[in-house]
Amino acid sequence: MDEEIAEGQLPDKRLDRRLRQVFDQIGGAMGQTIPRACQDWANTKAAYRFFSNGRVSEHAILKGHFEATCDRVAAADGPILVLQDTTEFTYQREKPERIGFTKSVNSGKDKADRLRHHAVCGLLMHSSLAVTTQGVPLGLAAVKFWTRDKFKGAAALKRKINPTRVPIETKESYRWLENLRQSNSLLGDPGRCVHVGDRESDICELFCIATELGTSFLVRAQTDRLADDGGHTVAAELADEVVCASHVVELHNDKGEAVPVTLDVKFRTIDVLPPIGKQKKYPALKLTYIHAYERDEPADRPRVSWKLITNLPVRTAQEAVEKLGWYALRWKIEVFHKIMKSGCKAEDVKLRTAERLVNLLAVFCILSWRIF
């Protein structure tokens, strides 16, 4: 069977069987190196051949997990929160170009006092995790891996072109739309899905596509958009709204201790305009903004201030507070990524190419969900 793996001749049934063997070996010694997890050279060599086989891909590895996620979602009651986020895996390699790069960082100054930069070797992963409104993780609904091969300074780029006029399909942020579509297609019930994202997902195109597909979103606001006739912004309308409720949330301080924080809550449904450069392509949308904030500035940390955007109906203070609770569950995808890094030790593996690393990370995705 190992020879078939090496030559790329592995039939689908053999692929499934070999995947189960690899999964059992790595899962049985989670956090260990591949040689230690496999225990002997024959199994280690077979695992390396599996990850380097051209017939093996993250899609083939995750296919069964996605199907099982769909079954668990169908068996669950109520709305399903689809939590989206991106994480980065960093590696040190003699030939980093065989993996790719994630970002450029400042590495000090040279003798002429000029800033030096170097590219960080690694992979990025954007995942969508389905959970119930009680926070029970049901499985992954979409995963995308990629690297970057060049970097452009954001400030320099903005001086040349307005980012709002660049087609979304040419931007990395398109991953938010791709995962939304893939999750809806997999789960087959867009009306039950609520796609939850942080400020990176405050994207006009995402709002429009979600509306077209008949699905919902709940994201944290980053941009103060034009409202109504374009003569003022969303912030101006929210400023006029009265507080309708108080809500207590738990935050963790620098020591990891849970601290209760009381937030004032208000909400308003607003006609929101797309960016000026995209108003011919996209329509205005009726969206609800929920603002939850601390009245006073704490002495030891920044004041909590959440502005959430949703196309879900919010008619009462109770419904507004409910959406705040749903958004608070977004932290679970951060925990999922932490399990991959701290539990599976995904950044400690020594595979030397992006293709092999992605296959192993796909296995870690399933393991991390099981642990979670």
Side-chain angles (χ1 to χ4, degrees):
M1 182 173 67
D2 292 341
E3 290 304 317
E4 290 177 336
I5 294 175
E7 295 170 8
Q9 302 295 320
L10 192 63
D12 290 343
K13 290 184 178 178
R14 293 279 184 90
L15 171 63
D16 292 342
R17 188 169 68 185
R18 187 67 192 119
L19 174 58
R20 286 195 294 272
Q21 291 172 348
V22 170
F23 187 89
D24 290 341
Q25 288 166 345
I26 295 176
M30 197 189 78
Q32 302 294 328
T33 63
I34 291 178
R36 182 165 293 183
C38 294
Q39 297 184 341
D40 59 53
W41 176 237
N43 282 324
T44 300
K45 190 175 181 182
Y48 283 140
R49 284 175 169 174
F50 175 81
F51 290 122
S52 63
N53 177 15
R55 287 283 308 280
V56 177
S57 68
E58 72 270 25
H59 304 292
I61 291 171
L62 290 167
K63 181 175 180 290
H65 175 74
F66 287 151
E67 291 171 353
T69 297
C70 188
D71 292 340
R72 286 187 287 267
V73 166
D77 296 323
I80 299 298
L81 307 182
V82 184
L83 316 177
Q84 284 199 51
D85 198 24
T86 304
T87 193
E88 176 184 324
F89 300 96
T90 301
Y91 303 99
Q92 291 185 343
R93 296 290 188 272
E94 290 184 3
K95 297 180 179 179
E97 66 278 1
R98 297 180 68 183
I99 294 175
F101 304 94
T102 57
K103 61 187 175 185
S104 179
V105 298
N106 181 358
S107 54
K109 295 184 178 181
D110 60 18
K111 293 181 180 179
D113 203 35
R114 294 172 299 192
L115 286 174
R116 295 181 299 184
H117 296 270
H118 74 273
V120 176
C121 173
L123 291 161
L124 295 127
M125 181 182 81
H126 188 75
S127 49
S128 296
L129 179 70
V131 305
T132 67
T133 52
Q134 290 74 44
V136 178
L138 302 175
L140 290 167
V143 178
K144 177 180 175 61
F145 295 96
W146 79 101
T147 61
R148 305 181 180 119
D149 56 4
K150 59 184 177 180
F151 308 93
K152 296 180 180 178
L157 200 60
K158 287 179 181 177
R159 286 196 292 269
K160 295 181 179 180
I161 186 170
N162 185 339
T164 63
R165 297 180 184 272
V166 177
I168 186 68
E169 293 81 6
T170 65
K171 298 180 181 179
E172 269 193 15
S173 53
Y174 191 57
R175 67 188 186 274
W176 294 90
L177 281 64
E178 288 181 307
N179 272 36
L180 184 147
R181 285 196 183 100
Q182 183 178 330
S183 300
N184 277 350
S185 176
L186 173 73
L187 302 179
D189 193 354
R192 288 183 68 198
C193 295
V194 182
H195 298 268
V196 182
D198 61 10
R199 282 175 282 201
E200 271 194 275
S201 61
D202 181 1
I203 304 168
C204 168
E205 289 87 349
L206 184 143
F207 303 160
C208 293
I209 287 174
T211 302
E212 289 174 13
L213 296 177
T215 195
S216 303
F217 61 85
L218 178 64
V219 305
R220 190 169 175 187
Q222 176 174 254
T223 304
D224 186 17
R225 301 183 182 280
L226 294 173
D228 291 336
D229 59 359
H232 60 276
T233 65
V234 167
E237 288 216 18
L238 275 177
D240 294 336
E241 192 61 52
V242 298
V243 172
C244 65
S246 292
H247 179 54
V248 178
V249 297
E250 275 194 355
L251 301 180
H252 288 82
N253 60 21
D254 294 338
K255 299 177 181 178
E257 302 166 333
V259 179
V261 175
T262 301
L263 306 178
D264 286 342
V265 181
K266 55 185 178 180
F267 68 93
R268 177 178 283 195
T269 300
I270 302 171
D271 290 322
V272 181
L273 301 179
I276 292 174
K278 296 181 179 179
Q279 288 183 2
K280 292 183 179 179
K281 186 174 182 181
Y282 299 106
L285 296 173
K286 193 173 288 293
L287 304 176
T288 298
Y289 278 72
I290 304 169
H291 192 191
Y293 57 94
E294 286 182 280
R295 243 177 246 175
D296 303 313
E297 186 84 28
D300 57 344
R301 57 173 173 77
R303 175 165 38 188
V304 175
S305 179
W306 289 355
K307 282 184 182 177
L308 306 183
I309 316 170
T310 185
N311 60 349
L312 290 161
V314 181
R315 296 170 291 262
T316 65
Q318 183 178 1
E319 289 180 339
V321 168
E322 176 187 56
K323 305 309 178 289
L324 288 171
W326 290 2
Y327 183 78
L329 292 173
R330 195 201 68 81
W331 184 251
K332 287 188 173 289
I333 197 165
E334 306 274 6
V335 176
F336 170 74
H337 291 156
K338 184 177 181 180
I339 293 170
M340 290 188 69
K341 293 181 178 182
S342 300
C344 296
K345 299 191 181 301
E347 293 177 308
D348 293 348
V349 298
K350 303 301 182 184
L351 299 177
R352 298 177 184 177
T353 68
E355 293 78 13
R356 297 172 189 179
L357 280 170
V358 165
N359 288 338
L360 181 56
L361 290 174
V363 172
F364 285 163
C365 281
I366 302 171
L367 280 173
S368 299
W369 169 77
R370 286 193 173 186
I371 294 164
F372 196 17

